[in-house]
Amino acid sequence: MKLPVREAPIAVPGFLFAGVACGLKASGKPDLALIVSDVPAVVAGVVTRNRVKAAPVQLVIPRLARGKAQAVLINSGNANACTGAAGMKVARAACRQLADGLGIAEDAVLPCSTGKIGVVLPAAPMTRGIAVAMDALDDGGFWRAARAIMTTDAFPKVAQRTVRVGGTTVTIAGMAKGAGMIAPDMATLLVTVVTDARVAAPVLRAAVRGAVATSFNAISVDGDCSTNDTVIMVANGVAGNAPFAAGSTDGRRFAAAVAALMAELADMVVADGEGATKRASITVVGARTAEQARRAARSIAQSQLVKTALFGGDPNWGRIACAAGYAGVPLVAEKLSVAIGGVQVLARGVPAAASVVKQAAKIMRATAFPITVDLATGGRGTATVTTSDLTPAYVKFNSAYST
């Protein structure tokens, strides 16, 4: 579903952005984005756990491990995945060209690609596009970059926060793309978050990993894990704030702002799920541990039967209970409870009356609503995973994606 977008100006001190068309997309729409820091920056990130990793992901892993970079290069329209030595050659050449043009080290460039798998990234359009993008770099180009990373997205996904840390107000802004192949570990997406905050590498890594766990690793559209998923955060430190530790008041405030921003972007990804008309936040409570709650919530969120029930507005609590039951975590079936939008359709193992189920059905007509499941183990473990409905439009789109 397409959400309304208000393109309020976004500027992050010390960063330049560009979004241009280089010909990777047959539509002629923008397909190359640059994000460049004026100075060397601290970086942290998370990538897909899929063992089939695209060429740019293979390059970005050791560069993220260094914890330093200065530019993010993103192309859409081609994933450059499963392309072997030829794909790696093009990816390296693109990084080298950008690095030479900016006067920085090649390993200070973090590459990302998204699009069709199994096609080598064309070298000529990339060469032209990088040259054009460098000329187009501008401190007001954030939205242009956000549009250039889109593939099947219906709208650009952008979020911004300000937070006071180390005696200074800093800006955090992020852009994301993703609509299909969305599942935990990671969701199928590309995300770049930038901040002018001065942050030590260990503090930034902790903030990013914590935020990803409750945002991009807590959503599902179709249960697929992509070859290209990458979340990158770049902190250039030009705000000049005093240093802060992860466990300090400032550290917790900064981490909370990063988590809130990523959660907002992740919610947009689910809303934009291919063919989606609804989204539901599945919260599991009463688990023995938080990890067991996450497993149960994921099981429910990724159930095709649950997702089709969401589409049909059918308060079929039996499908929800079933998915919780095969999650492989302890629960007390006789005391299980399920609530849809606060309406209990199953209360401690007892099904609700038909009139109550009709109330839940009315709630499910909305485009977004919560579902809560109590595993009744007596534990305090809880977790939430946000999912979208599964619709005929999703099937139609993905049945002919490459043709």
Side-chain angles (χ1 to χ4, degrees):
M1 71 190 82
K2 186 173 183 178
L3 297 182
V5 176
R6 187 175 69 88
E7 293 194 15
I10 292 179
V12 184
F15 284 96
L16 302 174
F17 310 91
V20 302
C22 69
L24 294 173
K25 292 178 180 174
S27 65
K29 291 182 178 180
D31 49 19
L32 187 73
L34 285 185
I35 300 165
V36 178
S37 172
D38 291 342
V39 297
V42 175
V43 297
V46 180
V47 303
T48 181
R49 294 186 185 177
N50 194 321
R51 293 189 178 185
V52 178
K53 291 178 170 61
V57 176
Q58 295 177 51
L59 287 177
V60 90
I61 290 172
R63 297 179 185 188
L64 285 174
R66 287 179 60 247
K68 292 282 187 180
Q70 200 165 343
V72 182
L73 169 63
I74 308 170
N75 76 269
S76 57
N78 185 302
N80 201 15
C82 302
T83 51
M88 183 62 74
K89 181 179 179 181
V90 176
R92 287 188 184 278
C95 292
R96 190 178 310 116
Q97 178 189 352
L98 180 59
D100 290 345
L102 296 175
I104 62 177
E106 183 181 333
D107 59 6
V109 177
L110 304 177
C112 300
S113 298
T114 181
K116 187 178 177 181
I117 293 171
V119 179
V120 176
L121 183 62
M126 287 295 292
T127 300
R128 291 194 302 269
I130 290 170
V132 172
M134 283 192 289
D135 287 340
L137 282 168
D138 182 77
D139 59 5
F142 193 94
W143 282 96
R144 290 191 291 275
R147 290 190 178 279
I149 69 175
M150 295 166 56
T151 51
T152 61
D153 305 68
F155 59 92
K157 301 164 182 67
V158 167
Q160 183 179 26
R161 296 287 189 281
T162 57
V163 61
R164 192 163 180 81
V165 293
T168 303
T169 298
V170 303
T171 301
I172 307 170
M175 63 181 74
K177 66 78 51 185
M181 293 183 75
I182 304 295
D185 299 326
M186 294 260 300
T188 303
L189 43 82
L190 299 180
V191 180
T192 300
V193 179
V194 295
T195 180
D196 61 340
R198 180 185 177 191
V199 190
V203 177
L204 190 66
R205 282 195 292 268
V208 169
R209 288 172 181 169
V212 167
T214 57
S215 58
F216 300 115
N217 270 347
I219 59 175
S220 179
V221 168
D222 49 21
D224 259 302
C225 179
S226 174
T227 55
N228 290 62
D229 307 335
T230 307
V231 175
I232 293 169
M233 186 164 183
V234 185
N236 67 10
V238 303
N241 55 277
F244 54 88
S248 67
T249 300
D250 281 343
R252 291 192 297 272
R253 188 181 297 120
F254 179 78
V258 174
L261 180 139
M262 289 196 185
E264 183 178 350
L265 291 173
D267 193 55
M268 293 182 199
V269 170
V270 177
D272 195 20
E274 290 166 353
T277 64
K278 301 175 184 176
R279 64 190 188 277
S281 55
I282 313 293
T283 299
V284 171
V285 301
R288 290 181 181 174
T289 66
E291 176 55 32
Q292 290 178 359
R294 277 191 289 271
R295 287 171 58 187
R298 287 183 181 186
S299 181
I300 297 165
Q302 294 180 186
S303 164
Q304 293 187 38
L305 289 178
V306 171
K307 290 164 74 66
T308 52
L310 298 179
F311 172 66
D314 179 11
N316 190 335
W317 59 263
R319 293 182 176 182
I320 297 169
C322 177
Y326 61 63
V329 303
L331 56 78
V332 181
E334 296 79 11
K335 297 181 180 179
L336 201 68
S337 296
V338 177
I340 299 174
V343 175
Q344 282 208 318
V345 290
L346 179 69
R348 294 186 64 79
V350 179
S355 59
V356 175
V357 175
K358 287 183 179 179
Q359 293 178 31
K362 289 181 180 179
I363 290 170
M364 294 181 73
R365 294 174 188 168
T367 57
F369 49 86
I371 296 175
T372 304
V373 181
D374 187 349
L375 302 186
T377 68
R380 296 185 178 182
T382 182
T384 300
V385 174
T386 303
T387 191
S388 61
D389 57 348
L390 181 60
T391 71
Y394 176 89
V395 177
K396 182 178 181 180
F397 177 87
N398 283 283
S399 66
Y401 179 76
S402 65
T403 55

Short mmCIF file of all heavy atoms in Angstrom, two decimals, residues 153-218:
data_model
loop_
_atom_site.label_atom_id
_atom_site.label_comp_id
_atom_site.label_asym_id
_atom_site.label_seq_id
_atom_site.Cartn_x
_atom_site.Cartn_y
_atom_site.Cartn_z
N ASP A 153 9.51 -0.59 -4.93
CA ASP A 153 8.92 0.27 -3.91
C ASP A 153 7.88 1.21 -4.52
O ASP A 153 8.07 1.76 -5.61
CB ASP A 153 10.00 1.12 -3.24
CG ASP A 153 11.13 0.30 -2.67
OD1 ASP A 153 11.89 -0.32 -3.46
OD2 ASP A 153 11.25 0.26 -1.44
N ALA A 154 6.80 1.42 -3.78
CA ALA A 154 5.76 2.34 -4.24
C ALA A 154 6.04 3.77 -3.81
O ALA A 154 5.48 4.70 -4.38
CB ALA A 154 4.39 1.91 -3.69
N PHE A 155 6.92 3.94 -2.82
CA PHE A 155 7.23 5.29 -2.34
C PHE A 155 8.60 5.26 -1.65
O PHE A 155 9.05 4.22 -1.17
CB PHE A 155 6.15 5.78 -1.36
CG PHE A 155 5.98 4.90 -0.14
CD1 PHE A 155 6.70 5.14 1.03
CD2 PHE A 155 5.11 3.82 -0.16
CE1 PHE A 155 6.54 4.34 2.14
CE2 PHE A 155 4.94 3.00 0.95
CZ PHE A 155 5.66 3.27 2.11
N PRO A 156 9.28 6.42 -1.61
CA PRO A 156 10.57 6.48 -0.91
C PRO A 156 10.36 6.39 0.59
O PRO A 156 9.40 6.96 1.13
CB PRO A 156 11.13 7.84 -1.32
CG PRO A 156 9.93 8.66 -1.66
CD PRO A 156 8.91 7.70 -2.23
N LYS A 157 11.27 5.71 1.26
CA LYS A 157 11.16 5.50 2.70
C LYS A 157 12.27 6.29 3.40
O LYS A 157 13.44 5.97 3.27
CB LYS A 157 11.25 4.01 3.01
CG LYS A 157 10.15 3.21 2.32
CD LYS A 157 10.44 1.73 2.30
CE LYS A 157 9.34 0.99 1.58
NZ LYS A 157 9.30 1.32 0.12
N VAL A 158 11.86 7.32 4.11
CA VAL A 158 12.79 8.27 4.71
C VAL A 158 12.34 8.60 6.12
O VAL A 158 11.14 8.70 6.38
CB VAL A 158 12.85 9.56 3.85
CG1 VAL A 158 13.55 10.68 4.59
CG2 VAL A 158 13.56 9.28 2.53
N ALA A 159 13.29 8.76 7.03
CA ALA A 159 12.96 9.15 8.41
C ALA A 159 14.09 10.01 8.96
O ALA A 159 15.24 9.91 8.51
CB ALA A 159 12.74 7.93 9.29
N GLN A 160 13.77 10.84 9.93
CA GLN A 160 14.77 11.74 10.52
C GLN A 160 14.50 11.92 12.01
O GLN A 160 13.34 11.92 12.45
CB GLN A 160 14.75 13.09 9.81
CG GLN A 160 15.79 14.08 10.29
CD GLN A 160 15.74 15.39 9.53
OE1 GLN A 160 14.71 15.77 8.98
NE2 GLN A 160 16.86 16.10 9.47
N ARG A 161 15.56 12.08 12.77
CA ARG A 161 15.46 12.37 14.20
C ARG A 161 16.55 13.37 14.58
O ARG A 161 17.60 13.44 13.93
CB ARG A 161 15.67 11.11 15.05
CG ARG A 161 14.63 10.01 14.90
CD ARG A 161 13.32 10.40 15.58
NE ARG A 161 12.38 9.29 15.64
CZ ARG A 161 11.62 8.87 14.62
NH1 ARG A 161 11.74 9.46 13.44
NH2 ARG A 161 10.77 7.87 14.77
N THR A 162 16.31 14.12 15.64
CA THR A 162 17.36 14.89 16.29
C THR A 162 17.40 14.46 17.74
O THR A 162 16.35 14.13 18.33
CB THR A 162 17.12 16.40 16.20
OG1 THR A 162 15.86 16.73 16.77
CG2 THR A 162 17.17 16.88 14.76
N VAL A 163 18.58 14.46 18.32
CA VAL A 163 18.73 14.05 19.71
C VAL A 163 19.91 14.79 20.31
O VAL A 163 20.88 15.09 19.61
CB VAL A 163 18.92 12.51 19.81
CG1 VAL A 163 20.18 12.06 19.06
CG2 VAL A 163 18.96 12.05 21.25
N ARG A 164 19.82 15.10 21.57
CA ARG A 164 20.90 15.83 22.22
C ARG A 164 21.81 14.85 22.96
O ARG A 164 21.37 14.15 23.87
CB ARG A 164 20.34 16.87 23.20
CG ARG A 164 21.40 17.86 23.69
CD ARG A 164 20.77 19.09 24.30
NE ARG A 164 21.78 20.04 24.77
CZ ARG A 164 22.41 20.90 23.98
NH1 ARG A 164 22.11 20.94 22.70
NH2 ARG A 164 23.32 21.72 24.48
N VAL A 165 23.06 14.80 22.55
CA VAL A 165 24.06 13.93 23.19
C VAL A 165 25.37 14.70 23.34
O VAL A 165 25.70 15.53 22.50
CB VAL A 165 24.31 12.64 22.37
CG1 VAL A 165 23.08 11.75 22.37
CG2 VAL A 165 24.75 12.96 20.95
N GLY A 166 26.08 14.44 24.41
CA GLY A 166 27.37 15.08 24.61
C GLY A 166 27.29 16.59 24.59
O GLY A 166 28.22 17.26 24.15
N GLY A 167 26.15 17.13 25.04
CA GLY A 167 25.98 18.58 25.10
C GLY A 167 25.65 19.23 23.78
O GLY A 167 25.62 20.46 23.68
N THR A 168 25.36 18.44 22.74
CA THR A 168 25.11 18.98 21.41
C THR A 168 23.91 18.28 20.77
O THR A 168 23.72 17.08 20.96
CB THR A 168 26.34 18.77 20.50
OG1 THR A 168 27.48 19.38 21.11
CG2 THR A 168 26.13 19.36 19.12
N THR A 169 23.13 19.02 20.00
CA THR A 169 22.03 18.41 19.25
C THR A 169 22.57 17.87 17.93
O THR A 169 23.19 18.60 17.15
CB THR A 169 20.93 19.44 18.97
OG1 THR A 169 20.39 19.89 20.21
CG2 THR A 169 19.80 18.81 18.15
N VAL A 170 22.34 16.59 17.69
CA VAL A 170 22.83 15.94 16.47
C VAL A 170 21.64 15.48 15.63
O VAL A 170 20.53 15.31 16.14
CB VAL A 170 23.75 14.75 16.79
CG1 VAL A 170 24.92 15.19 17.66
CG2 VAL A 170 22.97 13.62 17.48
N THR A 171 21.89 15.29 14.36
CA THR A 171 20.85 14.85 13.41
C THR A 171 21.11 13.42 12.98
O THR A 171 22.26 13.03 12.75
CB THR A 171 20.85 15.77 12.17
OG1 THR A 171 20.60 17.11 12.57
CG2 THR A 171 19.79 15.34 11.17
N ILE A 172 20.04 12.65 12.88
CA ILE A 172 20.11 11.28 12.35
C ILE A 172 19.06 11.18 11.25
O ILE A 172 17.90 11.53 11.45
CB ILE A 172 19.81 10.23 13.44
CG1 ILE A 172 20.69 10.43 14.67
CG2 ILE A 172 19.99 8.81 12.88
CD1 ILE A 172 20.27 9.58 15.86
N ALA A 173 19.45 10.74 10.07
CA ALA A 173 18.51 10.59 8.96
C ALA A 173 18.78 9.28 8.24
O ALA A 173 19.93 8.85 8.12
CB ALA A 173 18.63 11.76 7.98
N GLY A 174 17.72 8.64 7.77
CA GLY A 174 17.89 7.35 7.11
C GLY A 174 16.98 7.19 5.92
O GLY A 174 15.90 7.80 5.84
N MET A 175 17.43 6.37 4.98
CA MET A 175 16.62 6.01 3.82
C MET A 175 16.66 4.49 3.67
O MET A 175 17.65 3.85 4.02
CB MET A 175 17.15 6.69 2.55
CG MET A 175 18.55 6.28 2.15
SD MET A 175 19.15 7.13 0.65
CE MET A 175 19.47 8.77 1.32
N ALA A 176 15.57 3.93 3.17
CA ALA A 176 15.49 2.49 3.00
C ALA A 176 14.77 2.16 1.71
O ALA A 176 13.96 2.95 1.21
CB ALA A 176 14.76 1.85 4.19
N LYS A 177 15.05 0.98 1.16
CA LYS A 177 14.26 0.44 0.07
C LYS A 177 13.92 -1.00 0.41
O LYS A 177 14.70 -1.71 1.06
CB LYS A 177 14.99 0.55 -1.26
CG LYS A 177 16.24 -0.27 -1.44
CD LYS A 177 16.05 -1.75 -1.72
CE LYS A 177 15.10 -2.00 -2.87
NZ LYS A 177 14.88 -3.50 -3.00
N GLY A 178 12.76 -1.43 0.00
CA GLY A 178 12.36 -2.80 0.26
C GLY A 178 10.86 -2.94 0.18
O GLY A 178 10.13 -2.10 0.70
N ALA A 179 10.40 -3.99 -0.51
CA ALA A 179 8.97 -4.25 -0.61
C ALA A 179 8.69 -5.75 -0.73
O ALA A 179 7.67 -6.23 -0.26
CB ALA A 179 8.36 -3.51 -1.80
N GLY A 180 9.61 -6.47 -1.36
CA GLY A 180 9.46 -7.92 -1.50
C GLY A 180 10.70 -8.63 -0.98
O GLY A 180 11.73 -8.01 -0.73
N MET A 181 10.63 -9.95 -0.83
CA MET A 181 11.69 -10.75 -0.22
C MET A 181 12.06 -10.17 1.14
O MET A 181 13.19 -9.80 1.42
CB MET A 181 12.94 -10.81 -1.12
CG MET A 181 12.74 -11.57 -2.42
SD MET A 181 14.26 -11.67 -3.38
CE MET A 181 15.17 -12.92 -2.47
N ILE A 182 11.05 -10.06 2.01
CA ILE A 182 11.24 -9.46 3.32
C ILE A 182 11.06 -10.51 4.41
O ILE A 182 9.99 -11.08 4.56
CB ILE A 182 10.24 -8.31 3.56
CG1 ILE A 182 10.35 -7.26 2.45
CG2 ILE A 182 10.44 -7.68 4.92
CD1 ILE A 182 11.65 -6.52 2.41
N ALA A 183 12.12 -10.75 5.17
CA ALA A 183 12.06 -11.70 6.28
C ALA A 183 13.21 -11.40 7.22
O ALA A 183 14.19 -10.78 6.84
CB ALA A 183 12.16 -13.14 5.77
N PRO A 184 13.11 -11.86 8.47
CA PRO A 184 14.22 -11.63 9.41
C PRO A 184 15.52 -12.25 8.91
O PRO A 184 15.52 -13.20 8.14
CB PRO A 184 13.73 -12.30 10.69
CG PRO A 184 12.24 -12.29 10.58
CD PRO A 184 11.96 -12.51 9.13
N ASP A 185 16.63 -11.70 9.39
CA ASP A 185 18.00 -12.19 9.10
C ASP A 185 18.48 -11.93 7.70
O ASP A 185 19.13 -12.78 7.13
CB ASP A 185 18.13 -13.69 9.40
CG ASP A 185 17.86 -14.00 10.85
OD1 ASP A 185 18.20 -13.17 11.71
OD2 ASP A 185 17.32 -15.08 11.12
N MET A 186 18.48 -10.94 7.09
CA MET A 186 17.79 -9.69 7.35
C MET A 186 16.53 -9.64 6.52
O MET A 186 16.33 -10.47 5.66
CB MET A 186 18.73 -8.56 6.91
CG MET A 186 19.97 -8.45 7.74
SD MET A 186 19.70 -7.13 8.87
CE MET A 186 19.44 -5.81 7.68
N ALA A 187 15.77 -8.57 6.70
CA ALA A 187 14.72 -8.30 5.73
C ALA A 187 15.39 -7.92 4.42
O ALA A 187 16.50 -7.44 4.40
CB ALA A 187 13.84 -7.16 6.21
N THR A 188 14.70 -8.15 3.32
CA THR A 188 15.29 -7.85 2.01
C THR A 188 15.23 -6.36 1.77
O THR A 188 14.19 -5.84 1.43
CB THR A 188 14.52 -8.57 0.92
OG1 THR A 188 14.54 -9.92 1.20
CG2 THR A 188 15.15 -8.32 -0.43
N LEU A 189 16.35 -5.72 1.96
CA LEU A 189 16.33 -4.28 1.89
C LEU A 189 17.73 -3.72 1.85
O LEU A 189 18.71 -4.41 2.08
CB LEU A 189 15.60 -3.69 3.10
CG LEU A 189 15.94 -4.33 4.46
CD1 LEU A 189 17.21 -3.77 5.02
CD2 LEU A 189 14.81 -4.12 5.44
N LEU A 190 17.80 -2.45 1.50
CA LEU A 190 19.01 -1.66 1.66
C LEU A 190 18.65 -0.47 2.53
O LEU A 190 17.63 0.18 2.31
CB LEU A 190 19.55 -1.17 0.32
CG LEU A 190 19.97 -2.24 -0.69
CD1 LEU A 190 20.49 -1.56 -1.96
CD2 LEU A 190 21.02 -3.17 -0.12
N VAL A 191 19.49 -0.18 3.50
CA VAL A 191 19.25 0.94 4.41
C VAL A 191 20.55 1.68 4.64
O VAL A 191 21.59 1.05 4.89
CB VAL A 191 18.71 0.46 5.78
CG1 VAL A 191 18.47 1.65 6.71
CG2 VAL A 191 17.43 -0.36 5.62
N THR A 192 20.51 2.99 4.54
CA THR A 192 21.66 3.82 4.92
C THR A 192 21.18 4.88 5.89
O THR A 192 20.23 5.62 5.60
CB THR A 192 22.31 4.49 3.70
OG1 THR A 192 22.76 3.48 2.79
CG2 THR A 192 23.51 5.32 4.13
N VAL A 193 21.83 4.94 7.04
CA VAL A 193 21.53 5.95 8.06
C VAL A 193 22.78 6.79 8.26
O VAL A 193 23.89 6.25 8.36
CB VAL A 193 21.11 5.29 9.39
CG1 VAL A 193 20.83 6.35 10.45
CG2 VAL A 193 19.89 4.40 9.18
N VAL A 194 22.63 8.10 8.30
CA VAL A 194 23.77 8.99 8.49
C VAL A 194 23.52 9.90 9.68
O VAL A 194 22.37 10.27 9.97
CB VAL A 194 24.05 9.83 7.22
CG1 VAL A 194 24.46 8.93 6.06
CG2 VAL A 194 22.84 10.67 6.83
N THR A 195 24.59 10.29 10.34
CA THR A 195 24.48 11.22 11.46
C THR A 195 25.76 12.04 11.56
O THR A 195 26.84 11.57 11.20
CB THR A 195 24.24 10.47 12.79
OG1 THR A 195 24.16 11.42 13.86
CG2 THR A 195 25.37 9.49 13.10
N ASP A 196 25.60 13.27 12.04
CA ASP A 196 26.77 14.10 12.29
C ASP A 196 27.31 13.91 13.70
O ASP A 196 28.24 14.60 14.12
CB ASP A 196 26.44 15.58 12.04
CG ASP A 196 25.33 16.10 12.94
OD1 ASP A 196 24.56 15.28 13.48
OD2 ASP A 196 25.22 17.34 13.12
N ALA A 197 26.74 12.96 14.43
CA ALA A 197 27.20 12.71 15.80
C ALA A 197 28.62 12.15 15.81
O ALA A 197 29.02 11.40 14.92
CB ALA A 197 26.26 11.73 16.49
N ARG A 198 29.35 12.52 16.84
CA ARG A 198 30.66 11.92 17.10
C ARG A 198 30.42 10.68 17.95
O ARG A 198 30.00 10.78 19.10
CB ARG A 198 31.54 12.93 17.83
CG ARG A 198 32.95 12.44 18.16
CD ARG A 198 33.66 13.50 18.98
NE ARG A 198 34.99 13.07 19.40
CZ ARG A 198 35.72 13.72 20.29
NH1 ARG A 198 35.24 14.82 20.87
NH2 ARG A 198 36.91 13.28 20.62
N VAL A 199 30.66 9.51 17.38
CA VAL A 199 30.36 8.24 18.05
C VAL A 199 31.54 7.29 17.90
O VAL A 199 32.03 7.09 16.78
CB VAL A 199 29.09 7.57 17.45
CG1 VAL A 199 28.66 6.40 18.32
CG2 VAL A 199 27.96 8.56 17.32
N ALA A 200 31.97 6.69 18.97
CA ALA A 200 33.02 5.68 18.90
C ALA A 200 32.49 4.44 18.20
O ALA A 200 31.30 4.12 18.29
CB ALA A 200 33.51 5.33 20.31
N ALA A 201 33.37 3.73 17.50
CA ALA A 201 32.96 2.56 16.72
C ALA A 201 32.21 1.52 17.55
O ALA A 201 31.16 1.02 17.12
CB ALA A 201 34.17 1.94 16.03
N PRO A 202 32.69 1.15 18.75
CA PRO A 202 31.94 0.14 19.53
C PRO A 202 30.55 0.62 19.92
O PRO A 202 29.61 -0.18 19.97
CB PRO A 202 32.83 -0.06 20.77
CG PRO A 202 34.18 0.40 20.36
CD PRO A 202 33.96 1.52 19.40
N VAL A 203 30.41 1.91 20.22
CA VAL A 203 29.10 2.46 20.59
C VAL A 203 28.16 2.43 19.39
O VAL A 203 26.98 2.08 19.51
CB VAL A 203 29.26 3.89 21.12
CG1 VAL A 203 27.89 4.50 21.44
CG2 VAL A 203 30.15 3.91 22.36
N LEU A 204 28.68 2.79 18.21
CA LEU A 204 27.86 2.77 17.00
C LEU A 204 27.44 1.35 16.65
O LEU A 204 26.27 1.10 16.30
CB LEU A 204 28.62 3.40 15.84
CG LEU A 204 27.79 3.66 14.57
CD1 LEU A 204 26.72 4.71 14.84
CD2 LEU A 204 28.68 4.10 13.41
N ARG A 205 28.36 0.40 16.75
CA ARG A 205 28.02 -1.00 16.45
C ARG A 205 26.92 -1.50 17.37
O ARG A 205 25.97 -2.16 16.93
CB ARG A 205 29.26 -1.88 16.57
CG ARG A 205 30.20 -1.81 15.38
CD ARG A 205 31.19 -2.96 15.40
NE ARG A 205 32.12 -2.84 16.51
CZ ARG A 205 33.30 -2.23 16.43
NH1 ARG A 205 33.67 -1.65 15.30
NH2 ARG A 205 34.10 -2.19 17.48
N ALA A 206 27.02 -1.18 18.66
CA ALA A 206 26.00 -1.64 19.61
C ALA A 206 24.65 -1.03 19.29
O ALA A 206 23.61 -1.71 19.35
CB ALA A 206 26.44 -1.29 21.03
N ALA A 207 24.64 0.27 18.95
CA ALA A 207 23.38 0.93 18.63
C ALA A 207 22.74 0.34 17.39
O ALA A 207 21.52 0.10 17.35
CB ALA A 207 23.62 2.44 18.45
N VAL A 208 23.54 0.09 16.36
CA VAL A 208 23.01 -0.46 15.11
C VAL A 208 22.48 -1.87 15.31
O VAL A 208 21.37 -2.20 14.87
CB VAL A 208 24.09 -0.42 14.01
CG1 VAL A 208 23.64 -1.22 12.79
CG2 VAL A 208 24.39 1.01 13.61
N ARG A 209 23.24 -2.71 15.97
CA ARG A 209 22.80 -4.09 16.17
C ARG A 209 21.53 -4.15 17.01
O ARG A 209 20.62 -4.94 16.73
CB ARG A 209 23.92 -4.90 16.81
CG ARG A 209 25.07 -5.17 15.84
CD ARG A 209 26.27 -5.80 16.54
NE ARG A 209 27.37 -6.03 15.60
CZ ARG A 209 28.59 -6.37 15.95
NH1 ARG A 209 28.90 -6.54 17.24
NH2 ARG A 209 29.53 -6.55 15.04
N GLY A 210 21.47 -3.32 18.05
CA GLY A 210 20.26 -3.31 18.87
C GLY A 210 19.06 -2.82 18.10
O GLY A 210 17.96 -3.37 18.22
N ALA A 211 19.26 -1.78 17.27
CA ALA A 211 18.15 -1.23 16.51
C ALA A 211 17.67 -2.19 15.44
O ALA A 211 16.46 -2.34 15.21
CB ALA A 211 18.58 0.10 15.88
N VAL A 212 18.58 -2.87 14.76
CA VAL A 212 18.21 -3.83 13.72
C VAL A 212 17.41 -4.99 14.31
O VAL A 212 16.44 -5.47 13.70
CB VAL A 212 19.46 -4.34 12.98
CG1 VAL A 212 19.13 -5.56 12.11
CG2 VAL A 212 20.05 -3.24 12.10
N ALA A 213 17.77 -5.41 15.50
CA ALA A 213 17.09 -6.55 16.12
C ALA A 213 15.61 -6.27 16.35
O ALA A 213 14.77 -7.19 16.24
CB ALA A 213 17.76 -6.89 17.44
N THR A 214 15.26 -5.02 16.64
CA THR A 214 13.86 -4.69 16.93
C THR A 214 13.15 -4.01 15.77
O THR A 214 12.01 -3.58 15.91
CB THR A 214 13.79 -3.78 18.17
OG1 THR A 214 14.58 -2.60 17.94
CG2 THR A 214 14.30 -4.50 19.40
N SER A 215 13.82 -3.90 14.62
CA SER A 215 13.20 -3.25 13.46
C SER A 215 13.26 -4.15 12.24
O SER A 215 12.33 -4.92 11.96
CB SER A 215 13.88 -1.90 13.19
OG SER A 215 15.27 -2.07 12.95
N PHE A 216 14.37 -4.13 11.53
CA PHE A 216 14.47 -4.87 10.27
C PHE A 216 14.54 -6.38 10.47
O PHE A 216 14.24 -7.13 9.54
CB PHE A 216 15.67 -4.37 9.47
CG PHE A 216 15.58 -2.92 9.14
CD1 PHE A 216 16.48 -2.00 9.65
CD2 PHE A 216 14.55 -2.45 8.34
CE1 PHE A 216 16.38 -0.65 9.36
CE2 PHE A 216 14.43 -1.09 8.04
CZ PHE A 216 15.35 -0.20 8.56
N ASN A 217 14.93 -6.83 11.64
CA ASN A 217 14.87 -8.26 11.93
C ASN A 217 13.61 -8.62 12.69
O ASN A 217 13.52 -9.70 13.29
CB ASN A 217 16.11 -8.71 12.71
CG ASN A 217 17.22 -9.15 11.78
OD1 ASN A 217 17.01 -9.34 10.58
ND2 ASN A 217 18.41 -9.34 12.32
N ALA A 218 12.63 -7.73 12.67
CA ALA A 218 11.35 -8.01 13.33
C ALA A 218 10.20 -7.68 12.38
O ALA A 218 9.13 -7.27 12.81
CB ALA A 218 11.23 -7.19 14.62
#
